[in-house]
Amino acid sequence: MSEEFGPMPFTAPTPFAEPPEFERLRAREGPVRVRTAAGAAGWLVTRYSDVRALCADGRIGRSHPDPASAPRLWPARLFDPPGDVHGEMAAHRRQRALLLPAYGRRRVAAERARAQAVLDEILSKLVARGSAADLYAELAVPYAMRAVYGFVGVPEPEWELYRWRSRWLRAPGRMADEPAGMRAAMSRMVERERGRAGKDVITRLAALGPEAATDVLCGHVGLVEYETVAARIGYGLLYLLADQAQRRRLVAEPGLAPSAVEEIMRVAVPGGSWIPRYALAGIDLGAARMRAGDLVVLSMQAANRDARWFREPGAFLIDRVPNPHLGFGHGKFYCLGAQLTRLLLHLVLTTVFLRLPALRLAVPAEEVECDRSSVTGGVRALPVCW
């Protein structure tokens, strides 16, 4: 039996540093055996080349032949595996083909003016209220929620329903079952959207009919997920507020905003960027002999700081090019919302520091706490003044 590490998820000492276990684990060849906080055994993949290879491997998926007894990374419903081992990839391809046009570059570019207006409104209210704020709770969260829900096409009266469901999915520990009326409410919303002119995600799904559309909405929680976007915004602002030289350079050279966005996606690690998946068949990688049904945890955080692929991997460099990070996943696990996330981060980086040129942290950067109460992670608060 190989050596076992854990329990995991491991904890980062500060928002700027990776868990100390990662550097020595990347020095080992292939995946390593781990024990999770849920008490399960699994494999942890930390090297960039291994993570990238397994993301593209058809023998890795979300399904498990016995979902009720599947080994778990974290006891949150977000990680509940489906049981359709043999039909998973075909269903995955059908749903991505349906949704991809709604998340494409042209569709996202059309959202720029609306998203900018939302951000400007939030900033104007912050300035009108005074000279201090929690940028995470008062800017990152409402901006991400309004921008994502508006883009997807969730009507405002339904926002609280989705917010509640998102919190229910991500909370650690096994909460009560989802209320029976929630799926019915989602189905009614889809039914109301049928026949409405529009190109948003909900309208596109509604053409399938209430049952099929609701199945997709329930299965693809990322369609209406804004917490991870908010967490990335919080991390990005923190990094730039803590590094005044890079912040001044970004303001002076706004053309660096796209590469700054990519660097935020590389180093910002809400929830540790753990991707729990399962081996659908036997896989040999390095010294690891993974069997069908084994838990396989892909650590994008560890991969994105692999010195074999990134110079000065622990540094935050807004001009890093190339930057082949895995912050959006890879292959069949590549995030549908990548272009939208890039747009929202870009608008924040090119707007906030111009509107608030005297913006600064209200506490030392090292005192900003990570949120470990949810699998989404992020910062608990980002206190600033100006």
Side-chain angles (χ1 to χ4, degrees):
M1 183 69 174
S2 59
E3 183 181 3
E4 188 174 83
F5 297 85
M8 59 167 289
F10 305 126
T11 300
T14 74
F16 306 101
E18 68 173 359
E21 294 90 345
F22 280 155
E23 185 172 2
R24 64 191 180 95
L25 289 178
R26 282 193 299 263
R28 301 171 69 95
E29 183 181 356
V32 297
R33 292 289 291 175
V34 290
R35 179 69 53 177
T36 75
W43 297 94
L44 174 62
V45 190
T46 57
R47 288 186 170 194
Y48 181 96
S49 57
D50 291 342
V51 171
R52 186 180 171 99
L54 289 177
C55 280
D57 195 314
R59 297 169 295 176
I60 292 287
R62 293 183 61 244
S63 300
H64 191 275
D66 184 7
S69 62
R72 307 294 294 266
L73 169 64
W74 199 338
R77 293 191 182 270
L78 178 63
F79 296 146
D80 283 351
D84 188 13
V85 172
H86 300 294
E88 173 187 335
M89 290 314 301
H92 179 79
R93 285 192 291 269
R94 285 195 302 270
Q95 291 183 357
R96 282 191 75 93
L98 171 70
L99 295 170
L100 199 56
Y103 283 89
R105 291 180 183 273
R106 184 176 299 179
R107 166 87 173 91
V108 170
E111 287 292 298
R112 177 179 289 272
R114 188 183 64 81
Q116 182 71 66
V118 170
L119 180 58
D120 289 341
E121 178 189 333
I122 291 171
L123 283 168
S124 294
K125 289 180 179 178
L126 284 181
V127 172
R129 283 205 300 266
S131 58
D134 173 359
L135 275 194
Y136 181 69
E138 299 178 67
L139 185 145
V141 170
Y143 170 58
M145 183 187 71
R146 291 174 60 183
V148 171
Y149 282 178
F151 175 84
V152 171
V154 178
E156 190 168 350
E158 310 291 345
W159 286 5
E160 189 54 37
L161 168 70
Y162 278 100
R163 290 185 67 188
W164 192 96
R165 186 171 192 271
S166 187
R167 290 194 294 270
W168 174 79
L169 284 165
R170 286 162 176 75
R174 305 297 290 177
M175 295 177 65
D177 288 340
E178 183 176 29
M182 185 169 288
R183 181 183 174 88
M186 294 170 73
S187 183
R188 288 194 297 271
M189 181 196 71
V190 170
E191 182 63 41
R192 288 197 304 270
E193 297 302 298
R194 292 184 72 185
R196 180 174 67 83
K199 298 180 180 179
D200 58 60
V201 178
I202 300 295
T203 303
R204 188 173 180 85
L205 287 177
L208 298 174
E211 283 302 309
T214 304
D215 285 343
V216 176
L217 281 172
C218 290
H220 284 253
V221 295
L223 294 177
V224 287
E225 120 85 63
Y226 67 90
E227 289 93 338
T228 301
V229 177
R232 301 282 188 186
I233 292 170
Y235 267 115
L237 290 171
L238 171 60
Y239 269 82
L240 288 163
L241 287 167
D243 190 334
Q244 292 295 316
Q246 298 225 57
R247 169 189 164 177
R248 287 193 295 270
R249 187 179 177 194
L250 178 63
V251 172
E253 302 177 57
L256 287 173
S259 59
V261 167
E262 300 306 317
E263 185 69 342
I264 290 169
M265 292 304 303
R266 185 185 73 87
V267 298
V269 285
S273 295
W274 310 98
I275 308 295
R277 293 293 184 258
Y278 295 95
L280 305 180
I283 304 172
D284 292 344
L285 182 60
R289 300 292 181 267
M290 295 174 275
R291 298 175 299 177
D294 279 0
L295 173 67
V296 181
V297 181
L298 308 175
S299 177
M300 305 306 184
Q301 176 184 11
N304 283 340
R305 299 196 186 206
D306 190 332
R308 301 172 189 84
W309 288 80
F310 301 96
R311 64 183 174 89
E312 299 181 67
F316 175 67
L317 305 173
I318 63 172
D319 61 352
R320 186 185 295 276
V321 176
N323 191 348
H325 66 81
L326 300 176
F328 290 119
H330 178 68
K332 61 181 179 293
F333 298 141
Y334 192 77
C335 177
L336 271 174
Q339 295 305 321
L340 178 62
T341 300
R342 286 186 170 107
L343 171 66
L344 299 184
L345 275 167
H346 186 280
L347 293 178
V348 166
L349 298 187
T350 55
T351 303
V352 170
F353 297 117
L354 290 179
R355 290 286 303 271
L356 300 171
L359 187 66
R360 62 190 184 279
L361 288 171
V363 299
E366 295 73 19
E367 293 182 12
V368 175
E369 294 183 42
C370 298
D371 180 7
R372 299 185 177 94
S373 64
S374 167
V375 299
T376 305
V379 297
R380 295 185 66 85
L382 188 58
V384 298
C385 52
W386 58 87

